[in-house]
Amino acid sequence: MNIQKLQSILSDQHDELSANDYSEFCSRQEASQLDLKSNRAQVVIGVRRCGKSTLCEMFLKQKEIEFAYVNFDDDRLKDLQISDLDNLLEALYIKYGEFKYLFLDEIQNIDGWPLFVSRLLRQKIHLFITGSNSKLLSKELSTHLTGRNNKVELYPFSFSEYCAITKTDTTSLSTKAKGLRKSSLQKYLLQGGFPELFNESNRRGYINGLFDAIIQNDIAKRFNVRNIEALKRIGAYLADNYCQEFVAKTVGELFGVSNHTAENYYSYLKEAFLLVGIHRFSYKSKDRVRNEKVYVIDTAFVTDRNDNFSQENLGWKLENVVCIELLRRYKPLFCDIFFYKEAASQVDFIIAKDGNVKELIQVSYDISNEKTLFREIRGLKNAAKKLKCNNLTLITFEEHENIEEDGYTINVVSATKWLLNDI
């Protein structure tokens, strides 16, 4: 592609970027993981439409950084080859003059891009990069940019960010404010946190379009999947059966594919950030690898997807929201998140670091039923005894007093307080 054509495209993209009004946008907590002074590429990855580009744009503009910009998710650049990148770089210098910061949006669309990025890093350019496919970024970055990338995982809005967007009071202790926070949480459990859904009247059309785009573009094309219909049906099935363990044999038999194919499709769905998997806790590595519990990246994929019948299960939705929040909080701290399951009991989440169990977390939307409360407490106590951990938490929708039993203190915290980190 010639330089003049590239200049025209870059000018259009600059004008589009300059027209964005960030005054109504929500600050994202993941911005704290970005480093302006680092010589490593700052790489933001995550599911489609979760706000990766906006995060980078807002961060750079709020820091008053002059930066050059190119968005590869542009139909006019769809045929761009690695051989064209020298012309692109020249066009960037023509457009922006000398620059120290360069934002490359959706660069994974260009084959061979890591070599281009490596060259720019050698030239001491500070790079901000976004992408939608974790396998592409993780594997190619580790191969070509070993030790020279800072990977930041971005999720759809957290509950605290949802409250900021909806202007929900998160600090007042009045009865009204507490009631409105609970109302916001109920809506968040159903609606999820995709930024564009706040201004979208056709939520179902948006989510189904997003689901199809992930299946078709982020998975089928990337991994040369031939049986796209089976992939799509398996993705829908696993999204419907979130908060459950993945069993390749069951999935394979249901959809007429081999266990190996079922496992591959499941891994693709995770790599595209549609699903996440939590390993079962065990001190044996073979047991950790073999057992995994499935969660959706956002509950909107449950509520607003076609042919779904698990919309009203608020207990599972709360567990899913807690799972994503745990990943958001603890992965940057190099902690691991597991679930615990034994014959007599189970615990939803274990937080561990360096092989040491730090906290056990149980999630139950409603503990007013004695059998439910007994089951949740029994799971925590049994795991606490076996894992020698006394930091026990039970997250529930309503306020509740802490529980003292058999020498253990179980910290019972409302979901609104826990999700807002107000504990």
Side-chain angles (χ1 to χ4, degrees):
M1 187 174 292
N2 65 58
I3 293 173
Q4 186 175 4
K5 175 67 173 177
L6 289 167
Q7 279 184 263
S8 175
I9 295 170
L10 292 175
S11 293
D12 288 346
Q13 292 185 357
H14 174 266
D15 291 346
E16 184 179 341
L17 195 68
S18 299
N20 288 335
D21 179 8
Y22 297 102
S23 61
E24 296 295 321
F25 283 24
C26 175
S27 297
R28 308 298 297 273
Q29 59 194 69
E30 288 86 355
S32 64
Q33 300 173 45
L34 297 171
D35 188 350
L36 275 176
K37 297 180 180 179
S38 175
N39 291 321
R40 298 183 295 165
Q42 306 297 300
V43 183
V44 181
I45 60 175
V47 68
R48 280 175 175 257
R49 316 314 299 169
C50 69
K52 300 180 296 294
S53 302
T54 303
L55 170 68
C56 291
E57 293 166 25
M58 286 184 63
F59 177 79
L60 290 166
K61 290 196 173 184
Q62 287 172 351
K63 298 294 184 180
E64 298 182 343
I65 299 297
E66 295 293 330
F67 63 96
Y69 171 74
V70 55
N71 180 6
F72 293 94
D73 195 17
D74 187 315
D75 63 290
R76 295 168 295 181
L77 298 178
K78 68 181 179 66
D79 296 321
L80 202 67
Q81 304 295 318
I82 192 168
S83 57
D84 296 314
L85 294 180
D86 266 343
N87 282 353
L88 175 66
L89 187 58
E90 185 173 338
L92 282 165
Y93 279 116
I94 293 171
K95 170 62 185 173
Y96 291 97
E98 182 149 5
F99 52 83
K100 295 182 179 179
Y101 292 86
L102 174 59
F103 176 17
L104 302 172
D105 203 359
E106 301 292 349
I107 194 175
Q108 82 278 352
N109 291 339
I110 306 300
D111 290 335
W113 64 268
L115 297 173
F116 179 61
V117 167
S118 294
R119 176 153 57 101
L120 295 176
L121 289 174
R122 291 195 298 271
Q123 296 172 6
K124 308 301 183 185
I125 295 174
H126 296 279
L127 295 179
F128 286 75
I129 299 171
T130 69
S132 297
N133 188 302
S134 65
K135 178 175 181 179
L136 171 67
L137 289 166
S138 296
K139 288 194 173 180
E140 295 197 10
L141 282 172
S142 62
T143 300
H144 298 282
L145 300 177
T146 304
R148 290 192 291 165
N149 67 92
N150 173 37
K151 185 172 70 174
V152 176
E153 292 190 22
L154 185 66
Y155 302 87
F157 283 148
S158 66
F159 179 59
S160 62
E161 291 163 347
Y162 180 92
C163 288
I165 289 292
T166 57
K167 296 181 170 52
T168 301
D169 188 335
T170 60
T171 58
S172 173
L173 299 178
S174 71
T175 301
K176 176 182 178 180
K178 289 192 288 186
L180 290 175
R181 282 196 289 273
K182 290 179 181 178
S183 175
S184 288
L185 177 56
Q186 286 183 326
K187 292 176 183 176
Y188 177 69
L189 294 178
L190 293 170
Q191 296 173 357
F194 278 105
E196 291 177 341
L197 281 179
F198 288 87
N199 298 311
E200 178 60 57
S201 58
N202 183 8
R203 295 178 55 85
R204 175 153 292 200
Y206 179 94
I207 289 299
N208 282 294
L210 182 58
F211 181 85
D212 288 344
I214 292 171
I215 296 294
Q216 295 281 352
N217 299 324
D218 293 345
I219 300 177
K221 288 182 181 178
R222 177 71 187 156
F223 299 104
N224 297 315
V225 175
R226 288 177 293 179
N227 194 348
I228 299 176
E229 183 59 28
L231 170 66
K232 185 174 181 179
R233 291 172 63 204
I234 288 172
Y237 170 81
L238 292 175
D240 287 347
N241 290 275
Y242 66 117
C243 300
Q244 308 299 310
E245 289 185 61
F246 171 78
V247 181
K249 183 179 180 181
T250 300
V251 173
E253 289 176 351
L254 275 173
F255 298 99
V257 300
S258 68
N259 294 358
H260 179 70
T261 297
E263 289 173 349
N264 281 343
Y265 286 1
Y266 175 50
S267 71
Y268 300 160
L269 292 160
K270 290 187 295 180
E271 287 162 7
F273 296 101
L274 180 63
L275 305 175
V276 298
I278 302 296
H279 290 291
R280 178 178 174 178
F281 181 86
S282 174
Y283 290 109
K284 297 179 180 179
S285 60
K286 65 177 182 179
D287 291 336
R288 290 197 302 272
V289 172
R290 184 183 302 142
N291 298 281
E292 220 172 69
K293 207 169 179 181
V294 182
Y295 294 89
V296 287
I297 196 68
D298 190 87
T299 54
F301 281 121
V302 179
T303 304
D304 290 310
R305 214 187 65 257
N306 284 340
D307 301 322
N308 173 59
F309 298 96
S310 56
Q311 297 182 11
E312 298 303 323
N313 193 321
L314 293 178
W316 283 2
K317 284 186 168 63
L318 179 59
E319 181 182 334
N320 199 99
V321 163
V322 169
C323 174
I324 301 302
E325 183 64 24
L326 287 170
L327 294 173
R328 185 185 286 113
R329 291 181 187 182
Y330 287 104
K331 284 192 75 173
L333 302 178
F334 306 104
C335 294
D336 296 308
I337 312 298
F338 300 97
F339 74 96
Y340 178 83
K341 184 176 181 181
E342 296 294 340
S345 60
Q346 60 184 29
V347 174
D348 293 320
F349 302 108
I350 290 178
I351 301 170
K353 186 172 185 179
D354 301 326
N356 298 312
V357 175
K358 300 296 184 182
E359 185 177 3
L360 307 179
I361 297 177
Q362 202 75 292
V363 182
S364 182
Y365 186 87
D366 183 2
I367 57 172
S368 60
N369 183 284
E370 289 186 7
K371 289 184 178 179
T372 301
L373 182 59
F374 174 78
R375 182 186 67 239
E376 306 296 357
I377 292 175
R378 181 183 62 183
L380 285 169
K381 289 192 304 180
N382 289 349
K385 183 177 181 179
K386 188 165 185 177
L387 302 176
K388 302 187 185 324
C389 176
N390 294 321
N391 187 8
L392 313 179
T393 300
L394 173 57
I395 301 171
T396 186
F397 187 76
E398 295 290 350
E399 301 278 351
H400 197 285
E401 293 181 353
N402 289 346
I403 297 170
E404 303 278 348
E405 193 167 306
D406 297 337
Y408 293 104
T409 298
I410 299 173
N411 303 306
V412 185
V413 59
S414 71
T416 52
K417 283 189 176 182
W418 187 87
L419 289 168
L420 294 170
N421 221 5
D422 183 24
I423 53 176

